[in-house]
Amino acid sequence: MNNKRVLQPPARIGIIGGGQLGRMLTMAAKRMGYFVVILDPNVGSPAGQVADKQIAASFSDRQAIRRLAELTDVVTYEFEHIDADMLCEIESEGYAVYPSATTLRNIQDKYRQKTLLSNAGLPVPAFYRVKNREDLMQKLEDFGLPVMLKTCSGGYDGKGNFVIREKSDVEAAYNALKKNDLMLEKYIEFTKELSIIIARDFSGEIKYYPVVENIHKDNILRITKVPAYIDDVLEVKIKSIAQKILKTLNDVGVFCIEMFLDTRGDIYINEIAPRPHNSGHYTIEACVTSQFEQLIRIITGMPLGSTELLSPCVMVNILGNDTVCGRYTFEGIENVLAKEKVYLHLYGKSSTANMRKLGHITVLDDCVKKAEEKALQVLENIKIKPL
């Protein structure tokens, strides 16, 4: 795949999605001198606040997506829930979309994604398509418990997933998700949740970011520890799996590969994100080249940047709570900014809700343990207040 076309600044970059990932991607692009157009239905979206132009339209608005392509030299996206058929259509007309619409289609359907990876001989949990309630009951007999019932598309941050631990959970799980295409997946008893950000350019060159450990609570990422505490053999294995995934996808861009390490030391692929990822936010301060700059480099045909880790670090998310809903402000930011090697990112979202990602903090230190202690301490200093 060598469709390299160097886009010099101030070439125009289109981004579908105006959330925090789009915001940080825009900020990287603006620093490099590019003109950025965002497509997002929310006027004044986090990315729209810092971009040159925002098209306020639904992600399913085909005319708006076409307009974005017409206004820009290259299009990328910050999340997967987009009309892949529309992107295929504009690609066929000569517009540049990276990663490709084919990759998006393969990844946004989890059953298709797992089938692609399984056929390539990659380690994924056992999985089956579920046709109906009776089919689910039959497959439970084959699988045993616990198992994970998933929607094939549309889920994120735990939405669209249901762990069936007892037979008594089946009815609730099926009723909660039955309006969607469903798949059943073997539940992995993991000791660590790991991920790696990996980048591939038009020449096929690959760069790996460090393997990180992620801590989730209620299916929301809370803490990313960098680097993960794993041995060299496991790190090599993870990088080998990541390389094989990109060879299978045969595409360019920045990809996050989430994995489980089980109790026997085996690795299983959980999901792939064809974009920058929450678990890669630390790269802004802790790596030579952030995941966001890396994607801008790739889609504009520039050389890949170094992924060297400059310091051990920890990233923590700032999440909304169940006591403040709607417009908000903060208290205690001055206590965060008083600390050295503590980097605060607020996303500029107009309203808060329980568990909504409002920002993140990255802390650099001599070791991961010290960074984690400081990160959790400063996070406690931030209070969300109604405005």
Side-chain angles (χ1 to χ4, degrees):
M1 161 174 269
N2 202 340
N3 303 324
K4 183 173 180 179
R5 178 175 62 132
V6 177
L7 298 175
Q8 300 287 350
R12 296 179 171 232
I13 296 170
I15 302 173
I16 302 174
Q20 61 265 24
L21 293 168
R23 180 186 180 94
M24 289 179 272
L25 194 54
T26 299
M27 292 168 78
K30 292 305 301 173
R31 184 175 58 78
M32 296 167 71
Y34 290 100
F35 186 98
V36 180
V37 184
I38 298 295
L39 188 149
D40 193 277
N42 300 308
V43 176
S45 65
Q49 295 167 21
V50 295
D52 296 281
K53 181 180 177 63
Q54 177 176 335
I55 299 172
S58 166
F59 298 124
S60 60
D61 186 331
R62 291 189 161 217
Q63 287 186 330
I65 291 176
R66 179 174 296 283
R67 185 176 170 219
L68 179 72
E70 291 170 348
L71 286 174
T72 58
D73 299 296
V74 62
V75 173
T76 190
Y77 42 89
E78 66 140 20
F79 74 123
E80 292 92 294
H81 310 308
I82 310 165
D83 187 341
D85 291 338
M86 179 59 194
L87 293 188
C88 280
E89 188 177 308
I90 64 173
E91 274 184 333
S92 70
E93 296 169 13
Y95 293 105
V97 180
Y98 303 114
S100 72
T102 300
T103 291
L104 177 63
R105 182 185 282 133
N106 285 332
I107 284 177
Q108 65 186 182
D109 183 312
K110 295 184 181 70
Y111 182 79
R112 182 182 289 185
Q113 179 187 144
K114 286 284 165 62
T115 301
L116 182 72
L117 297 174
S118 178
N119 289 344
L122 285 155
V124 295
F127 64 99
Y128 289 100
R129 176 67 67 86
V130 174
K131 299 173 186 174
N132 49 44
R133 183 186 276 101
E134 292 68 32
D135 190 33
L136 172 59
M137 294 303 297
Q138 178 57 50
K139 288 189 168 64
L140 283 179
E141 296 296 324
D142 300 334
F143 257 49
L145 295 172
V147 293
M148 181 75 80
L149 184 66
K150 290 184 173 184
T151 58
C152 292
S153 60
Y156 66 97
D157 285 347
K159 298 178 180 68
N161 294 343
F162 203 119
V163 181
I164 300 174
R165 298 186 182 278
E166 307 289 341
K167 284 193 175 180
S168 57
D169 296 332
V170 172
E171 202 66 23
Y174 187 78
N175 287 337
L177 305 179
K178 65 183 179 181
K179 292 181 180 178
N180 307 273
D181 291 334
L182 299 177
M183 61 182 284
L184 200 64
E185 190 173 275
K186 181 177 174 61
Y187 184 83
I188 303 298
E189 296 287 354
F190 60 85
T191 58
K192 290 181 189 290
E193 291 181 89
L194 304 171
S195 65
I196 185 170
I197 303 285
I198 183 169
R200 184 173 188 256
D201 69 7
F202 289 104
S203 69
E205 183 182 0
I206 289 174
K207 294 253 183 176
Y208 305 90
Y209 286 89
V211 179
V212 307
E213 180 180 357
N214 299 309
I215 309 297
H216 289 80
K217 184 178 178 183
D218 300 324
N219 296 304
I220 302 288
L221 179 62
R222 301 300 184 95
I223 303 171
T224 296
K225 304 179 185 182
V226 192
Y229 185 66
I230 56 173
D231 61 37
D232 293 344
V233 173
L234 187 56
E235 182 179 0
V236 169
K237 184 177 182 179
I238 288 170
K239 288 181 177 179
S240 174
I241 290 169
Q243 182 185 42
K244 193 169 182 179
I245 288 171
L246 286 203
K247 184 178 180 182
T248 301
L249 295 176
N250 190 30
D251 206 349
V252 301
V254 167
F255 301 82
C256 178
I257 301 156
E258 298 176 89
M259 305 179 187
F260 294 127
L261 176 65
D262 76 2
T263 52
R264 297 178 300 177
D266 293 327
I267 286 287
Y268 291 92
I269 301 161
N270 179 27
E271 289 182 3
I272 303 167
R275 54 170 172 78
H277 192 265
N278 192 172
S279 66
H281 289 351
Y282 75 91
T283 60
I284 297 172
E285 287 86 21
C287 292
V288 173
T289 310
S290 77
Q291 63 171 346
F292 303 103
E293 179 183 331
Q294 196 76 277
L295 181 56
I296 298 300
R297 283 170 172 254
I298 291 167
I299 66 176
T300 59
M302 297 293 178
L304 290 177
S306 168
T307 55
E308 178 189 352
L309 183 67
L310 300 173
S311 169
C313 68
V314 163
M315 187 282 303
V316 290
N317 277 325
I318 301 169
L319 301 173
N321 56 50
D322 58 4
T323 61
V324 182
C325 187
R327 297 183 69 213
Y328 66 101
T329 185
F330 293 99
E331 186 178 281
I333 295 298
E334 67 277 14
N335 298 320
V336 178
L337 298 180
K339 303 287 186 181
E340 292 187 4
K341 296 184 179 179
V342 174
Y343 302 91
L344 175 69
H345 296 259
L346 298 177
Y347 302 149
K349 294 184 178 180
S350 60
S351 64
T352 183
N354 190 33
M355 307 303 287
R356 191 174 195 200
K357 294 172 184 172
L358 302 177
H360 74 269
I361 298 167
T362 301
V363 177
L364 277 56
D365 214 313
D366 297 335
C367 66
V368 171
K369 184 179 179 182
K370 287 183 182 178
E372 183 179 10
E373 289 171 355
K374 188 184 289 186
L376 294 175
Q377 181 186 44
V378 297
L379 188 60
E380 284 293 315
N381 284 319
I382 297 182
K383 307 299 179 188
I384 300 166
K385 301 286 184 180
L387 185 63

